[in-house]
Amino acid sequence: QVQLVESGGGSVQSGGSLRLSCVVSGITSSSVCMGWFRQGPGNAREGGAAIDSDGSPSYADSVKGRFTISQANAGNTAFLQMSGLTRDDTARYYCTGGSGGGGYCPSLEKPIDWAYWGQGTQVTVSS
């Protein structure tokens, strides 16, 4: 049974930082991409960051330069370090895993292409 369990969400003031964690079990996480999506109130699920099995990251423009994705424990744990948070970053953040084939990650623009999802962790940024 595949499980992705997120933690680290919470409330923070604008300009602050948070670090999200995702523990993966039930899959050989070193062979899949890991990613972070988010969904704010009334919004579609939006891709934020992904990291492939070689450790190469990719980011959506909305978070580039502020968020950093990483992984540890042979890929069984993924992290999202978030800094310079604004109210626009308020959302539920989801850890995801999947493979786009050929060593590539699924697109951050297509959440449907990601196979595995956690339950999410809430991040609330106040001014």
Side-chain angles (χ1 to χ4, degrees), residues 4-57:
L4 287 73
V5 180
E6 303 96 334
S7 62
S11 297
V12 64
Q13 289 192 324
S14 182
S17 300
L18 279 175
R19 188 193 198 204
L20 307 183
S21 300
C22 172
V23 177
V24 181
S25 60
I27 56 174
T28 306
S29 50
S30 60
S31 64
V32 300
C33 294
M34 300 301 300
W36 288 93
F37 280 69
R38 65 186 183 182
Q39 189 165 15
N43 295 335
R45 194 163 292 191
E46 172 193 23
I51 188 166
D52 66 18
S53 57
D54 291 329
S56 296

Side-chain angles (χ1 to χ4, degrees), residues 31-107:
S31 64
V32 300
C33 294
M34 300 301 300
W36 288 93
F37 280 69
R38 65 186 183 182
Q39 189 165 15
N43 295 335
R45 194 163 292 191
E46 172 193 23
I51 188 166
D52 66 18
S53 57
D54 291 329
S56 296
S58 57
Y59 299 95
D61 288 343
S62 59
V63 306
K64 195 174 295 181
R66 300 187 299 122
F67 292 9
T68 302
I69 188 171
S70 61
Q71 56 188 23
N73 301 324
N76 288 326
T77 307
F79 303 98
L80 186 68
Q81 178 68 47
M82 307 184 294
S83 61
L85 288 163
T86 72
R87 292 183 65 181
D88 288 343
D89 296 313
T90 293
R92 191 163 186 85
Y93 284 71
Y94 296 88
C95 178
T96 184
S99 176
Y104 294 98
C105 292
S107 170

